[in-house]
């Protein structure tokens, strides 16, 4: 077992490993000189990639949340319609897929039985597959047509943290690569996106400085029994994984939900007893991000009218959210597609400190295993 690097638990060590995990996952796959992404282990020709009609993303747990973020990246950068499936549900929905479709299976361990079965199902129906895995020569990686290894290093803690951010970076690289090979992105655009991707590791180091604030928030909220995590668009998977982290390690009930959907039901639950954790960042250079932000501001005002306690993740230069929310955790500015990689980190830290405050076995939560190898 690798050592904990002086940290008390693998989970907190792995949270702090993320800047290096991103560097190691991204750097070997890019050429800034050529303004290109190089994914040698894809083993699918550019001709075949050009005729791909659709992408199916299949995974379990946290890996599926990475897939949900990847859906936005693939549609935006490669103009490829994409669907996301629970691996455990895939075979039962009789997926109408075939040779013109690419199936991307995402897995930290590479051994999850549901994801293994889903890949075999996709291949049996004629779809080519690409595996994104954190473990070399794992079953899923070996059986895939192509592979992108996340190089986040061994992940020991059962709750997945550094594999998640590395998976989102790998999906961003895949979307750039498909855009580059299919001609939906020119060299200048690829270079600009690569520039933004390479800015993430130092920005992540800045986010990790919010660790003490996240610990204080865990102090204040460790009696709460339920939480609602909210996000819009590509930020919704961040809310989903923030809720999952809290469930996994602190055994507190938490639900991830699209912010806009709250008025269609969950709003009935929202009062002083249900803390809200909401993603409220904004990319000022992006009109749809500004629209999303305005709607989120209005939602927060509504939650405050219902006496809810609101913890918000906001962009570093934001004033509005700080005036509205009870607590605000600031993250550096980043593009709409990459901001989720920064936003999840305070939620990982919050879940970690909630578990520590409750005296729980953070790295080995009850009733969970690192990889479910039985269907
Ligand atoms: C669960 C793990 O068993 O499987 C989660 O506890 C993980 O952390 C999920 O997200 C999926 O695993 P994998 O290895 O396929 O990404």
């Amino acid at each position: 077992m690798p050592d904990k690097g002086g940290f008390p638990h693998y989970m907190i060590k792995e949270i702090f490993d993320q800047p290096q995990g991103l560097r190691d996952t991204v750097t070997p796959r890019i050429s800034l000189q050529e303004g290109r992404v190089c994914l040698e282990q894809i083993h699918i020709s550019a001709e075949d990639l050009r005729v791909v009609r659709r992408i199916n993303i299949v995974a379990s747990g946290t890996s599926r949340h990475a897939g949900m973020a990847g859906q936005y990246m693939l549609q935006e950068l490669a103009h490829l319609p994409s669907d996301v499936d629970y691996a455990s549900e895939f075979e039962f929905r009789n997926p109408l897929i075939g040779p013109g479709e690419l199936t991307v299976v995402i897995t930290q361990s590479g051994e999850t039985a549901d994801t293994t079965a889903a890949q075999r199902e996709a291949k049996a129906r004629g779809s080519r597959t690409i595996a994104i895995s954190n473990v070399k020569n794992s079953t899923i990686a070996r059986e895939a047509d192509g592979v992108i290894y996340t190089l986040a290093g061994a992940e020991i803690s059962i709750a997945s943290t550094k594999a998640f951010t590395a998976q989102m970076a790998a999906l961003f690289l895949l979307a750039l690569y498909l855009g580059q090979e299919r001609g939906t992105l020119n060299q200048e655009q690829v270079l600009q996106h690569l520039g933004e991707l390479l800015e993430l590791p130092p920005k992540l180091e800045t986010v990790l400085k919010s660790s003490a604030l996240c610990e204080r928030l865990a102090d204040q909220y460790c009696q709460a029994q339920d939480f609602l995590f909210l996000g819009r668009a590509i930020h919704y998977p961040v809310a989903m994984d923030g809720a999952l982290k809290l469930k996994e390690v602190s055994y507190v009930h938490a639900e991830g939900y699209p912010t806009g959907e709250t008025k269609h039901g969950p709003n009935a639950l929202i009062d002083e007893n249900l803390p809200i954790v909401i993603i409220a960042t904004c990319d000022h250079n992006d009109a749809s991000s500004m629209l999303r932000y305005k709607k989120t501001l209005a939602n927060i005002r509504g939650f405050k009218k219902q006496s809810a306690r609101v913890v918000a993740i906001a962009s570093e230069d934001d004033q509005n959210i700080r005036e509205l929310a009870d607590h605000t955790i600031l993250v550096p500015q980043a593009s709409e597609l990459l901001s989720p990689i920064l936003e999840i980190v305070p939620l990982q830290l919050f879940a970690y400190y909630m578990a520590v405050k409750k005296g729980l076995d953070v790295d080995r939560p009850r009733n969970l295993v690192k990889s479910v190898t039985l269907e």
Side-chain angles (χ1 to χ4, degrees):
M1 285 274 253
D3 74 21
K4 293 182 185 135
F7 289 93
H9 302 99
Y10 283 109
M11 185 177 178
I12 188 73
K13 172 197 176 286
E14 289 158 7
I15 291 173
F16 276 79
D17 281 350
Q18 295 183 97
Q20 195 55 41
L22 278 184
R23 285 189 196 95
D24 295 344
T25 297
V26 171
T27 317
R29 280 79 187 255
I30 64 172
S31 159
L32 290 178
Q33 251 161 338
E34 297 168 46
R36 288 185 65 75
V37 176
C38 322
L39 297 177
E40 274 105 29
Q41 295 176 294
I42 289 281
H43 307 312
I44 302 175
S45 70
E47 293 68 49
D48 288 349
L49 289 176
R50 282 195 204 105
V51 293
V52 167
R53 292 192 307 273
R54 168 175 290 280
I55 294 203
N56 302 289
I57 301 169
V58 188
S60 303
T62 288
S63 296
R64 190 183 74 90
H65 297 151
M68 291 167 69
Q71 179 185 31
Y72 286 86
M73 299 168 182
L74 289 159
Q75 299 197 156
E76 177 107 1
L77 301 173
H79 301 176
L80 267 168
S82 307
D83 293 318
V84 184
D85 266 291
Y86 287 98
S88 57
E89 288 292 313
F90 189 63
E91 61 188 309
F92 302 116
R93 83 157 177 84
N94 183 21
L96 304 177
I97 62 174
E101 314 225 350
L102 194 54
T103 300
V104 176
V105 289
I106 309 169
T107 169
Q108 189 285 130
S109 62
E111 304 298 341
T112 299
D114 290 327
T115 310
T116 308
Q119 174 166 246
R120 289 174 183 163
E121 180 78 22
K123 291 181 74 120
R125 290 169 184 255
S127 172
R128 308 287 291 277
T129 69
I130 292 175
I132 295 180
S133 174
N134 197 46
V135 177
K136 290 246 164 87
N137 298 322
S138 58
T139 303
I140 293 172
R142 284 198 315 276
E143 294 185 3
D145 294 299
V147 64
I148 305 172
Y149 287 114
T150 49
L151 303 169
E155 192 176 69
I156 309 297
S157 185
I158 285 181
S160 183
T161 53
K162 62 179 180 177
F164 182 48
T165 47
Q167 285 163 350
M168 288 193 277
L171 284 157
F172 190 77
L173 286 172
L174 177 61
L176 288 180
Y177 180 75
L178 291 171
Q180 165 189 294
E181 299 303 311
R182 295 163 55 84
T184 57
L185 292 174
N186 61 33
Q187 191 189 36
E188 198 192 326
Q189 291 166 317
V190 171
L191 257 178
Q192 190 218 326
H193 288 297
L194 288 179
E196 289 166 359
L197 185 58
L198 290 171
E199 287 170 4
L200 286 187
K203 288 181 177 179
L204 244 172
E205 267 141 17
T206 304
V207 178
L208 288 167
K209 294 195 178 104
S210 69
S211 184
L213 168 58
C214 295
E215 184 170 11
R216 288 197 298 278
L217 287 176
D219 260 336
Q220 291 186 35
Y221 286 91
C222 69
Q223 299 311 324
Q225 295 305 309
D226 303 279
F227 283 79
L228 191 56
F229 285 71
L230 301 173
R232 284 178 182 273
I234 194 172
H235 312 275
Y236 166 46
V238 177
M240 290 288 286
D241 208 61
L244 181 61
K245 289 301 114 188
L246 196 61
K247 283 185 273 214
E248 284 176 309
V249 297
S250 75
Y251 314 159
V252 170
H253 172 248
E255 194 172 359
Y257 224 80
T259 313
E261 274 300 296
T262 50
K263 50 187 176 294
H264 303 295
N267 227 9
L269 297 173
I270 298 176
D271 62 13
E272 63 280 6
N273 302 314
L274 180 65
I276 305 271
V277 179
I278 188 163
I279 313 296
T281 54
C282 181
D283 176 357
H284 298 286
N285 312 316
D286 182 317
S288 77
S289 179
M290 290 298 286
L291 178 61
R292 174 183 59 79
Y293 175 74
K294 285 204 180 76
K295 290 187 176 190
T296 301
L297 270 179
N299 291 116
I300 297 176
R301 286 196 189 93
F303 300 147
K304 290 308 300 169
K305 281 202 192 103
Q306 293 169 217
S307 315
R309 291 179 290 165
V310 176
V311 176
I313 308 291
S315 299
E316 62 200 352
D317 55 356
D318 191 299
Q319 279 308 327
N320 303 323
I321 301 287
R322 267 190 273 196
E323 279 152 25
L324 271 177
D326 297 83
H327 307 279
T328 303
I329 305 168
L330 300 173
V331 297
Q333 183 77 43
S335 72
E336 190 66 5
L337 292 178
L338 290 173
S339 190
I341 295 178
L342 302 177
E343 295 159 1
I344 187 60
V345 176
L347 307 185
Q348 296 167 342
L349 289 163
F350 179 66
Y352 168 75
Y353 287 117
M354 285 282 279
V356 169
K357 302 224 172 281
K358 291 171 183 286
L360 299 171
D361 185 346
V362 175
D363 289 331
R364 291 276 164 278
R366 68 187 183 194
N367 312 334
L368 294 178
V369 290
K370 187 63 189 165
S371 180
V372 180
T373 53
L374 292 174
E375 271 190 75

